[in-house]
Amino acid sequence: MLVLTQGDPAGIAPEITIGAWQALRNQGPAFVFLGAPELLAGRVPVQIIEKPSQAQAVFAHAVPVIPLKLNTPAVQGHPDSRNAESIITSISEAVRLVQTDAAAALITNPISKDVLKQAGFAHPGHTSYLAELCHTPGEDVMMLAGPSLRVVPVTVHVSLKTAISQLSPELIIKTARTTAYDLRHKFGITSPRIAVAGLNPHAGENGLMGTEERDIILPAIKTLQNEGLAVTGPFPPDTLFTPQARKNYDVALCMYHDQGLIPLKTLDMAEGVNVTLGLPIIRTSPDHGTAFDIAGQGIADPSSLLAAIRLASTLVHNRKTYS
């Protein structure tokens, strides 16, 4: 059974959860919603359950819900830090269910970093909190995966200036190793091909436009190749994502957040999925945020959440097959 977190109750999480259930209720994969029942009740049938194992029996006719309480009623489009407790509890309890094998994988609905920060939450987002709960701090790697492209940013939610200062051969090597491991054991790709993007225009043009390729990226690539990994590059970022180039790799390793997420979201916004690699559990998420500006209007697209649920189910199957 898959467990879906509540997300921010003032965002589009309730709406896309309803849309996902409506699309999956007849053929699955089934999931249990861990959150406040009133976020869904009245719009679709809801069935309160006590544990994930009860969800399959009710999924075809109602959304199975393990209930949590909100501190204040949710108002769509108006986030309230008083509900941060339920948002965080949903995440931590969902992780516990997966860790104890009560659930097979975790799908997280969108949260607001700002809302949680106002409530004193110490993490910049889901991923580092999940790593802490899994007792693997610093081992997490973010992958965005869609039908056309997979990307992994080496540096993530930091400014561009900070991202450049954080780059090192060691960080690139560590990120590539984790990516290759999970592509084998969770995605079932026997010999994953990793294409590494350069940082500078034209991948530095032999040092004329920057030396990071020569001094940081290329040494990391050589180390990884010596370990037997199918790693190539560094490639000019402006040509790495063309249709022809994408045929030659399974994942693009990018040097900073937007270098990878702009092409991914341009190509696959509707079906892009955030996958956290490097964790002992399977976690996926939609590739978008809370969308407070459209919450409650009935126009939110559940496609990315649907893709995240389906991919989580596939990864569960793959890990059993390839681990």
PDB file of all heavy atoms in Angstrom, residues 164-177:
ATOM      1  N   ILE A 164      27.732  27.617  -7.003  1.00  0.00           N
ATOM      2  CA  ILE A 164      29.061  27.565  -7.612  1.00  0.00           C
ATOM      3  C   ILE A 164      30.125  27.330  -6.546  1.00  0.00           C
ATOM      4  O   ILE A 164      31.061  26.543  -6.744  1.00  0.00           O
ATOM      5  CB  ILE A 164      29.337  28.850  -8.401  1.00  0.00           C
ATOM      6  CG1 ILE A 164      28.380  28.944  -9.599  1.00  0.00           C
ATOM      7  CG2 ILE A 164      30.785  28.895  -8.894  1.00  0.00           C
ATOM      8  CD1 ILE A 164      28.411  30.274 -10.314  1.00  0.00           C
ATOM      9  N   SER A 165      29.967  27.979  -5.397  1.00  0.00           N
ATOM     10  CA  SER A 165      30.951  27.806  -4.325  1.00  0.00           C
ATOM     11  C   SER A 165      30.890  26.413  -3.708  1.00  0.00           C
ATOM     12  O   SER A 165      31.881  25.926  -3.163  1.00  0.00           O
ATOM     13  CB  SER A 165      30.740  28.870  -3.240  1.00  0.00           C
ATOM     14  OG  SER A 165      29.529  28.649  -2.527  1.00  0.00           O
ATOM     15  N   GLN A 166      29.733  25.770  -3.788  1.00  0.00           N
ATOM     16  CA  GLN A 166      29.575  24.434  -3.209  1.00  0.00           C
ATOM     17  C   GLN A 166      30.114  23.328  -4.114  1.00  0.00           C
ATOM     18  O   GLN A 166      30.397  22.218  -3.631  1.00  0.00           O
ATOM     19  CB  GLN A 166      28.098  24.157  -2.907  1.00  0.00           C
ATOM     20  CG  GLN A 166      27.546  24.897  -1.709  1.00  0.00           C
ATOM     21  CD  GLN A 166      26.092  24.517  -1.438  1.00  0.00           C
ATOM     22  OE1 GLN A 166      25.456  23.803  -2.210  1.00  0.00           O
ATOM     23  NE2 GLN A 166      25.566  24.995  -0.323  1.00  0.00           N
ATOM     24  N   LEU A 167      30.241  23.590  -5.392  1.00  0.00           N
ATOM     25  CA  LEU A 167      30.674  22.542  -6.316  1.00  0.00           C
ATOM     26  C   LEU A 167      32.062  22.037  -5.956  1.00  0.00           C
ATOM     27  O   LEU A 167      32.974  22.810  -5.699  1.00  0.00           O
ATOM     28  CB  LEU A 167      30.689  23.063  -7.752  1.00  0.00           C
ATOM     29  CG  LEU A 167      29.368  23.088  -8.519  1.00  0.00           C
ATOM     30  CD1 LEU A 167      29.603  23.620  -9.915  1.00  0.00           C
ATOM     31  CD2 LEU A 167      28.744  21.701  -8.573  1.00  0.00           C
ATOM     32  N   SER A 168      32.207  20.724  -5.970  1.00  0.00           N
ATOM     33  CA  SER A 168      33.510  20.106  -5.728  1.00  0.00           C
ATOM     34  C   SER A 168      33.517  18.743  -6.409  1.00  0.00           C
ATOM     35  O   SER A 168      32.447  18.158  -6.654  1.00  0.00           O
ATOM     36  CB  SER A 168      33.756  19.917  -4.236  1.00  0.00           C
ATOM     37  OG  SER A 168      32.857  18.959  -3.687  1.00  0.00           O
ATOM     38  N   PRO A 169      34.703  18.213  -6.727  1.00  0.00           N
ATOM     39  CA  PRO A 169      34.741  16.856  -7.286  1.00  0.00           C
ATOM     40  C   PRO A 169      34.068  15.845  -6.369  1.00  0.00           C
ATOM     41  O   PRO A 169      33.361  14.947  -6.826  1.00  0.00           O
ATOM     42  CB  PRO A 169      36.242  16.586  -7.435  1.00  0.00           C
ATOM     43  CG  PRO A 169      36.867  17.935  -7.556  1.00  0.00           C
ATOM     44  CD  PRO A 169      36.046  18.825  -6.671  1.00  0.00           C
ATOM     45  N   GLU A 170      34.265  16.018  -5.063  1.00  0.00           N
ATOM     46  CA  GLU A 170      33.714  15.062  -4.103  1.00  0.00           C
ATOM     47  C   GLU A 170      32.188  15.057  -4.133  1.00  0.00           C
ATOM     48  O   GLU A 170      31.562  13.992  -4.078  1.00  0.00           O
ATOM     49  CB  GLU A 170      34.211  15.394  -2.689  1.00  0.00           C
ATOM     50  CG  GLU A 170      35.692  15.191  -2.467  1.00  0.00           C
ATOM     51  CD  GLU A 170      36.553  16.293  -3.094  1.00  0.00           C
ATOM     52  OE1 GLU A 170      36.022  17.399  -3.379  1.00  0.00           O
ATOM     53  OE2 GLU A 170      37.754  16.033  -3.315  1.00  0.00           O
ATOM     54  N   LEU A 171      31.580  16.246  -4.226  1.00  0.00           N
ATOM     55  CA  LEU A 171      30.116  16.318  -4.253  1.00  0.00           C
ATOM     56  C   LEU A 171      29.561  15.726  -5.540  1.00  0.00           C
ATOM     57  O   LEU A 171      28.543  15.019  -5.523  1.00  0.00           O
ATOM     58  CB  LEU A 171      29.663  17.775  -4.102  1.00  0.00           C
ATOM     59  CG  LEU A 171      28.145  18.008  -4.063  1.00  0.00           C
ATOM     60  CD1 LEU A 171      27.506  17.241  -2.919  1.00  0.00           C
ATOM     61  CD2 LEU A 171      27.838  19.497  -3.957  1.00  0.00           C
ATOM     62  N   ILE A 172      30.212  15.991  -6.648  1.00  0.00           N
ATOM     63  CA  ILE A 172      29.769  15.418  -7.925  1.00  0.00           C
ATOM     64  C   ILE A 172      29.879  13.896  -7.897  1.00  0.00           C
ATOM     65  O   ILE A 172      28.970  13.178  -8.317  1.00  0.00           O
ATOM     66  CB  ILE A 172      30.592  16.002  -9.087  1.00  0.00           C
ATOM     67  CG1 ILE A 172      30.316  17.508  -9.221  1.00  0.00           C
ATOM     68  CG2 ILE A 172      30.275  15.280 -10.402  1.00  0.00           C
ATOM     69  CD1 ILE A 172      31.257  18.219 -10.175  1.00  0.00           C
ATOM     70  N   ILE A 173      30.991  13.398  -7.382  1.00  0.00           N
ATOM     71  CA  ILE A 173      31.207  11.947  -7.306  1.00  0.00           C
ATOM     72  C   ILE A 173      30.148  11.289  -6.424  1.00  0.00           C
ATOM     73  O   ILE A 173      29.545  10.269  -6.794  1.00  0.00           O
ATOM     74  CB  ILE A 173      32.630  11.644  -6.775  1.00  0.00           C
ATOM     75  CG1 ILE A 173      33.667  12.052  -7.819  1.00  0.00           C
ATOM     76  CG2 ILE A 173      32.769  10.167  -6.409  1.00  0.00           C
ATOM     77  CD1 ILE A 173      35.085  12.104  -7.270  1.00  0.00           C
ATOM     78  N   LYS A 174      29.922  11.864  -5.264  1.00  0.00           N
ATOM     79  CA  LYS A 174      28.934  11.314  -4.328  1.00  0.00           C
ATOM     80  C   LYS A 174      27.539  11.290  -4.948  1.00  0.00           C
ATOM     81  O   LYS A 174      26.813  10.291  -4.852  1.00  0.00           O
ATOM     82  CB  LYS A 174      28.934  12.145  -3.045  1.00  0.00           C
ATOM     83  CG  LYS A 174      27.905  11.733  -2.009  1.00  0.00           C
ATOM     84  CD  LYS A 174      27.967  12.669  -0.813  1.00  0.00           C
ATOM     85  CE  LYS A 174      26.881  12.354   0.199  1.00  0.00           C
ATOM     86  NZ  LYS A 174      26.893  13.296   1.342  1.00  0.00           N
ATOM     87  N   THR A 175      27.168  12.383  -5.601  1.00  0.00           N
ATOM     88  CA  THR A 175      25.849  12.474  -6.220  1.00  0.00           C
ATOM     89  C   THR A 175      25.695  11.460  -7.346  1.00  0.00           C
ATOM     90  O   THR A 175      24.655  10.790  -7.474  1.00  0.00           O
ATOM     91  CB  THR A 175      25.610  13.892  -6.761  1.00  0.00           C
ATOM     92  OG1 THR A 175      25.781  14.841  -5.696  1.00  0.00           O
ATOM     93  CG2 THR A 175      24.214  14.031  -7.336  1.00  0.00           C
ATOM     94  N   ALA A 176      26.722  11.313  -8.157  1.00  0.00           N
ATOM     95  CA  ALA A 176      26.668  10.362  -9.276  1.00  0.00           C
ATOM     96  C   ALA A 176      26.596   8.922  -8.787  1.00  0.00           C
ATOM     97  O   ALA A 176      25.863   8.098  -9.359  1.00  0.00           O
ATOM     98  CB  ALA A 176      27.880  10.558 -10.180  1.00  0.00           C
ATOM     99  N   ARG A 177      27.333   8.601  -7.750  1.00  0.00           N
ATOM    100  CA  ARG A 177      27.292   7.236  -7.212  1.00  0.00           C
ATOM    101  C   ARG A 177      25.899   6.882  -6.710  1.00  0.00           C
ATOM    102  O   ARG A 177      25.377   5.803  -7.001  1.00  0.00           O
ATOM    103  CB  ARG A 177      28.307   7.095  -6.072  1.00  0.00           C
ATOM    104  CG  ARG A 177      29.763   7.026  -6.506  1.00  0.00           C
ATOM    105  CD  ARG A 177      30.660   7.096  -5.275  1.00  0.00           C
ATOM    106  NE  ARG A 177      32.077   6.961  -5.608  1.00  0.00           N
ATOM    107  CZ  ARG A 177      33.075   7.301  -4.771  1.00  0.00           C
ATOM    108  NH1 ARG A 177      32.779   7.790  -3.564  1.00  0.00           N
ATOM    109  NH2 ARG A 177      34.331   7.153  -5.145  1.00  0.00           N
TER     110      ARG A 177
END
